[in-house]
Short mmCIF file of all heavy atoms in Angstrom, two decimals:
data_model
loop_
_atom_site.label_atom_id
_atom_site.label_comp_id
_atom_site.label_asym_id
_atom_site.label_seq_id
_atom_site.Cartn_x
_atom_site.Cartn_y
_atom_site.Cartn_z
N SER N 15 5.36 13.65 -8.64
CA SER N 15 6.40 12.73 -8.22
C SER N 15 6.96 13.08 -6.85
O SER N 15 7.37 12.18 -6.12
CB SER N 15 7.59 12.75 -9.21
OG SER N 15 8.07 14.09 -9.38
N ILE N 16 6.89 14.34 -6.43
CA ILE N 16 7.41 14.70 -5.10
C ILE N 16 6.52 14.11 -4.03
O ILE N 16 7.00 13.84 -2.95
CB ILE N 16 7.54 16.22 -4.98
CG1 ILE N 16 8.45 16.78 -6.09
CG2 ILE N 16 8.08 16.61 -3.62
CD1 ILE N 16 8.60 18.29 -6.13
N THR N 17 5.27 13.88 -4.38
CA THR N 17 4.38 13.15 -3.45
C THR N 17 4.56 11.65 -3.63
O THR N 17 4.64 10.87 -2.68
CB THR N 17 2.91 13.55 -3.74
OG1 THR N 17 2.72 14.91 -3.42
CG2 THR N 17 1.95 12.71 -2.86
N GLN N 18 4.62 11.18 -4.89
CA GLN N 18 4.75 9.74 -5.10
C GLN N 18 6.01 9.21 -4.41
O GLN N 18 6.00 8.11 -3.83
CB GLN N 18 4.88 9.43 -6.60
CG GLN N 18 5.04 7.97 -6.94
CD GLN N 18 5.05 7.67 -8.43
OE1 GLN N 18 4.31 8.28 -9.16
NE2 GLN N 18 5.94 6.77 -8.84
N PHE N 19 7.11 9.97 -4.43
CA PHE N 19 8.37 9.53 -3.84
C PHE N 19 8.43 9.76 -2.33
O PHE N 19 9.40 9.39 -1.67
CB PHE N 19 9.57 10.24 -4.46
CG PHE N 19 9.68 10.03 -5.97
CD1 PHE N 19 10.43 10.92 -6.73
CD2 PHE N 19 9.09 9.00 -6.60
CE1 PHE N 19 10.55 10.78 -8.10
CE2 PHE N 19 9.21 8.82 -7.97
CZ PHE N 19 9.96 9.71 -8.72
N SER N 20 7.37 10.33 -1.77
CA SER N 20 7.40 10.72 -0.35
C SER N 20 7.33 9.55 0.63
O SER N 20 7.53 9.78 1.82
CB SER N 20 6.28 11.71 -0.05
OG SER N 20 4.99 11.04 -0.01
N PHE N 21 7.05 8.36 0.16
CA PHE N 21 7.04 7.21 1.02
C PHE N 21 8.36 6.41 0.99
O PHE N 21 8.49 5.37 1.57
CB PHE N 21 5.86 6.26 0.64
CG PHE N 21 4.59 6.57 1.40
CD1 PHE N 21 4.28 7.87 1.77
CD2 PHE N 21 3.68 5.56 1.68
CE1 PHE N 21 3.12 8.16 2.45
CE2 PHE N 21 2.50 5.84 2.35
CZ PHE N 21 2.23 7.14 2.70
N GLN N 22 9.33 6.95 0.25
CA GLN N 22 10.65 6.34 0.27
C GLN N 22 11.28 6.56 1.67
O GLN N 22 10.79 7.39 2.45
CB GLN N 22 11.51 6.94 -0.80
CG GLN N 22 11.05 6.61 -2.21
CD GLN N 22 11.88 7.26 -3.30
OE1 GLN N 22 12.72 8.13 -3.05
NE2 GLN N 22 11.67 6.82 -4.50
N GLN N 23 12.33 5.85 2.01
CA GLN N 23 12.93 5.98 3.29
C GLN N 23 13.31 7.43 3.58
O GLN N 23 13.97 8.10 2.79
CB GLN N 23 14.21 5.10 3.35
CG GLN N 23 14.87 5.10 4.75
CD GLN N 23 15.99 4.10 4.84
OE1 GLN N 23 16.34 3.47 3.87
NE2 GLN N 23 16.59 4.00 5.98
N GLY N 24 12.84 7.96 4.71
CA GLY N 24 13.11 9.33 5.06
C GLY N 24 12.22 10.32 4.38
O GLY N 24 12.40 11.54 4.54
N GLY N 25 11.24 9.85 3.57
CA GLY N 25 10.37 10.77 2.86
C GLY N 25 9.37 11.47 3.78
O GLY N 25 9.02 10.97 4.85
N TRP N 26 8.89 12.62 3.32
CA TRP N 26 7.99 13.41 4.14
C TRP N 26 6.63 12.71 4.36
O TRP N 26 6.05 12.78 5.46
CB TRP N 26 7.79 14.80 3.54
CG TRP N 26 7.17 14.85 2.19
CD1 TRP N 26 7.82 14.80 1.00
CD2 TRP N 26 5.75 14.99 1.88
NE1 TRP N 26 6.92 14.85 -0.06
CE2 TRP N 26 5.68 15.00 0.47
CE3 TRP N 26 4.62 15.11 2.63
CZ2 TRP N 26 4.40 15.13 -0.22
CZ3 TRP N 26 3.37 15.25 1.98
CH2 TRP N 26 3.31 15.25 0.59
N GLY N 27 6.18 11.93 3.38
CA GLY N 27 4.96 11.19 3.52
C GLY N 27 5.12 10.03 4.52
O GLY N 27 4.23 9.78 5.36
N ALA N 28 6.25 9.36 4.45
CA ALA N 28 6.55 8.27 5.40
C ALA N 28 6.62 8.81 6.82
O ALA N 28 6.16 8.16 7.78
CB ALA N 28 7.84 7.60 5.03
N SER N 29 7.18 10.00 6.97
CA SER N 29 7.28 10.63 8.30
C SER N 29 5.88 10.94 8.85
O SER N 29 5.62 10.79 10.03
CB SER N 29 8.15 11.87 8.24
OG SER N 29 9.49 11.57 7.87
N LEU N 30 5.01 11.40 7.97
CA LEU N 30 3.63 11.67 8.40
C LEU N 30 2.95 10.36 8.81
O LEU N 30 2.25 10.34 9.85
CB LEU N 30 2.83 12.30 7.23
CG LEU N 30 2.90 13.82 7.05
CD1 LEU N 30 2.09 14.22 5.80
CD2 LEU N 30 2.44 14.56 8.27
N ALA N 31 3.14 9.32 8.00
CA ALA N 31 2.49 8.05 8.33
C ALA N 31 3.00 7.52 9.67
O ALA N 31 2.24 6.97 10.49
CB ALA N 31 2.79 6.99 7.24
N ASP N 32 4.27 7.68 9.91
CA ASP N 32 4.86 7.24 11.23
C ASP N 32 4.28 8.03 12.36
O ASP N 32 3.94 7.50 13.44
CB ASP N 32 6.36 7.38 11.16
CG ASP N 32 7.04 6.98 12.45
OD1 ASP N 32 6.89 5.83 12.89
OD2 ASP N 32 7.72 7.82 13.06
N LYS N 33 4.12 9.31 12.18
CA LYS N 33 3.60 10.22 13.21
C LYS N 33 2.13 9.90 13.53
O LYS N 33 1.68 10.10 14.68
CB LYS N 33 3.75 11.66 12.77
CG LYS N 33 3.69 12.68 13.88
CD LYS N 33 5.04 12.81 14.53
CE LYS N 33 5.06 14.03 15.46
NZ LYS N 33 6.31 14.11 16.23
N LEU N 34 1.41 9.41 12.54
CA LEU N 34 0.00 9.22 12.69
C LEU N 34 -0.45 7.76 12.89
O LEU N 34 -1.63 7.44 12.74
CB LEU N 34 -0.76 9.83 11.53
CG LEU N 34 -0.67 11.35 11.44
CD1 LEU N 34 -1.22 11.88 10.11
CD2 LEU N 34 -1.40 12.02 12.59
N VAL N 35 0.51 6.88 13.15
CA VAL N 35 0.17 5.46 13.36
C VAL N 35 -0.90 5.40 14.46
O VAL N 35 -0.82 6.00 15.50
CB VAL N 35 1.46 4.68 13.74
CG1 VAL N 35 1.09 3.32 14.37
CG2 VAL N 35 2.34 4.48 12.55
N ARG N 36 -1.94 4.54 14.19
CA ARG N 36 -3.01 4.26 15.15
C ARG N 36 -3.92 5.50 15.27
O ARG N 36 -4.82 5.48 16.13
CB ARG N 36 -2.57 3.75 16.44
CG ARG N 36 -2.02 2.30 16.38
CD ARG N 36 -1.60 1.75 17.68
NE ARG N 36 -2.70 1.68 18.65
CZ ARG N 36 -2.55 1.23 19.88
NH1 ARG N 36 -1.38 0.83 20.30
NH2 ARG N 36 -3.59 1.16 20.71
N LYS N 37 -3.76 6.48 14.42
CA LYS N 37 -4.71 7.62 14.38
C LYS N 37 -5.28 7.76 13.02
O LYS N 37 -6.48 7.96 12.87
CB LYS N 37 -4.04 8.92 14.81
CG LYS N 37 -3.82 9.06 16.34
CD LYS N 37 -3.54 10.50 16.67
CE LYS N 37 -3.65 10.69 18.21
NZ LYS N 37 -3.51 12.12 18.56
N CYS N 38 -4.44 7.72 12.01
CA CYS N 38 -4.89 7.91 10.60
C CYS N 38 -4.11 7.01 9.64
O CYS N 38 -2.94 6.68 9.93
CB CYS N 38 -4.61 9.34 10.19
SG CYS N 38 -5.57 10.61 10.93
N ASP N 39 -4.72 6.63 8.56
CA ASP N 39 -4.05 6.10 7.43
C ASP N 39 -3.62 7.22 6.54
O ASP N 39 -4.46 8.11 6.23
CB ASP N 39 -4.91 5.12 6.64
CG ASP N 39 -5.04 3.77 7.25
OD1 ASP N 39 -4.13 3.41 8.06
OD2 ASP N 39 -6.01 3.06 6.96
N VAL N 40 -2.35 7.29 6.19
CA VAL N 40 -1.87 8.31 5.26
C VAL N 40 -1.79 7.67 3.87
O VAL N 40 -0.99 6.70 3.65
CB VAL N 40 -0.49 8.85 5.71
CG1 VAL N 40 0.01 9.88 4.68
CG2 VAL N 40 -0.59 9.46 7.06
N LEU N 41 -2.59 8.15 2.95
CA LEU N 41 -2.64 7.57 1.61
C LEU N 41 -1.86 8.39 0.65
O LEU N 41 -2.06 9.61 0.46
CB LEU N 41 -4.13 7.55 1.15
CG LEU N 41 -5.11 6.78 2.04
CD1 LEU N 41 -6.48 6.75 1.40
CD2 LEU N 41 -4.65 5.37 2.30
N ASN N 42 -0.95 7.72 -0.05
CA ASN N 42 -0.12 8.34 -1.08
C ASN N 42 -0.79 8.23 -2.40
O ASN N 42 -0.87 7.14 -2.99
CB ASN N 42 1.29 7.68 -1.08
CG ASN N 42 2.24 8.41 -2.00
OD1 ASN N 42 1.85 9.00 -3.00
ND2 ASN N 42 3.50 8.33 -1.67
N ARG N 43 -1.23 9.32 -2.95
CA ARG N 43 -1.80 9.40 -4.30
C ARG N 43 -0.98 10.39 -5.07
O ARG N 43 -1.44 11.41 -5.57
CB ARG N 43 -3.28 9.76 -4.26
CG ARG N 43 -4.14 8.78 -3.52
CD ARG N 43 -4.22 7.42 -4.21
NE ARG N 43 -5.03 6.47 -3.50
CZ ARG N 43 -4.62 5.56 -2.64
NH1 ARG N 43 -3.33 5.50 -2.33
NH2 ARG N 43 -5.48 4.74 -2.05
N GLY N 44 0.30 10.03 -5.20
CA GLY N 44 1.24 10.84 -6.01
C GLY N 44 1.42 10.21 -7.38
O GLY N 44 1.51 8.97 -7.49
N PHE N 45 1.50 11.03 -8.41
CA PHE N 45 1.52 10.53 -9.80
C PHE N 45 2.68 11.25 -10.49
O PHE N 45 2.58 12.43 -10.91
CB PHE N 45 0.21 10.77 -10.47
CG PHE N 45 -0.94 10.09 -9.83
CD1 PHE N 45 -1.66 10.72 -8.78
CD2 PHE N 45 -1.28 8.76 -10.13
CE1 PHE N 45 -2.73 10.06 -8.15
CE2 PHE N 45 -2.32 8.12 -9.49
CZ PHE N 45 -3.03 8.77 -8.46
N SER N 46 3.79 10.54 -10.68
CA SER N 46 4.99 11.11 -11.25
C SER N 46 4.70 11.71 -12.63
O SER N 46 4.10 11.06 -13.49
CB SER N 46 6.12 10.04 -11.35
OG SER N 46 7.24 10.59 -11.92
N GLY N 47 5.16 12.93 -12.84
CA GLY N 47 5.03 13.55 -14.15
C GLY N 47 3.70 14.25 -14.39
O GLY N 47 3.54 14.95 -15.41
N TYR N 48 2.74 14.11 -13.46
CA TYR N 48 1.37 14.70 -13.70
C TYR N 48 1.38 16.20 -13.44
O TYR N 48 2.16 16.75 -12.66
CB TYR N 48 0.39 14.00 -12.79
CG TYR N 48 -0.17 12.72 -13.33
CD1 TYR N 48 0.70 11.74 -13.91
CD2 TYR N 48 -1.53 12.43 -13.31
CE1 TYR N 48 0.19 10.57 -14.40
CE2 TYR N 48 -2.04 11.24 -13.79
CZ TYR N 48 -1.16 10.32 -14.39
OH TYR N 48 -1.69 9.13 -14.89
N ASN N 49 0.46 16.84 -14.09
CA ASN N 49 0.20 18.22 -13.90
C ASN N 49 -1.24 18.43 -13.43
O ASN N 49 -1.96 17.44 -13.30
CB ASN N 49 0.44 19.06 -15.20
CG ASN N 49 -0.34 18.50 -16.39
OD1 ASN N 49 -1.48 18.09 -16.24
ND2 ASN N 49 0.26 18.49 -17.56
N THR N 50 -1.63 19.67 -13.20
CA THR N 50 -2.97 19.95 -12.63
C THR N 50 -4.12 19.62 -13.62
O THR N 50 -5.24 19.35 -13.23
CB THR N 50 -3.13 21.37 -12.13
OG1 THR N 50 -2.81 22.29 -13.18
CG2 THR N 50 -2.19 21.63 -10.97
N ARG N 51 -3.82 19.72 -14.89
CA ARG N 51 -4.84 19.38 -15.90
C ARG N 51 -5.25 17.92 -15.76
O ARG N 51 -6.45 17.60 -15.81
CB ARG N 51 -4.34 19.71 -17.31
CG ARG N 51 -5.38 19.46 -18.42
CD ARG N 51 -4.77 19.70 -19.81
NE ARG N 51 -4.41 21.12 -19.93
CZ ARG N 51 -3.62 21.56 -20.90
NH1 ARG N 51 -3.04 20.70 -21.75
NH2 ARG N 51 -3.31 22.83 -21.01
N TRP N 52 -4.28 17.08 -15.63
CA TRP N 52 -4.57 15.64 -15.43
C TRP N 52 -5.08 15.31 -14.03
O TRP N 52 -6.00 14.55 -13.87
CB TRP N 52 -3.30 14.82 -15.73
CG TRP N 52 -2.71 15.04 -17.09
CD1 TRP N 52 -3.36 15.63 -18.17
CD2 TRP N 52 -1.39 14.73 -17.48
NE1 TRP N 52 -2.47 15.68 -19.23
CE2 TRP N 52 -1.29 15.15 -18.86
CE3 TRP N 52 -0.32 14.17 -16.85
CZ2 TRP N 52 -0.08 15.00 -19.60
CZ3 TRP N 52 0.87 14.00 -17.56
CH2 TRP N 52 0.99 14.40 -18.91
#
């Protein structure tokens, strides 16, 4: 979830996406509640 929520306003993923505009697509593959087994 800490990754899933990272595209919310002010999120760390959103900040990465903003920083990398026209260089990279930043893909959010966060899954709330998931653990490493899943």
Side-chain angles (χ1 to χ4, degrees):
S15 57
I16 302 176
T17 297
Q18 180 176 320
F19 301 159
S20 73
F21 270 31
Q22 294 177 349
Q23 185 174 2
W26 60 273
S29 296
L30 276 178
D32 179 59
K33 200 80 169 176
L34 292 171
V35 165
R36 288 182 63 179
K37 282 197 169 187
C38 291
D39 280 338
V40 178
L41 303 184
N42 186 329
R43 297 296 181 265
F45 300 89
S46 179
Y48 276 45
N49 55 38
T50 55
R51 184 182 294 164
W52 303 342

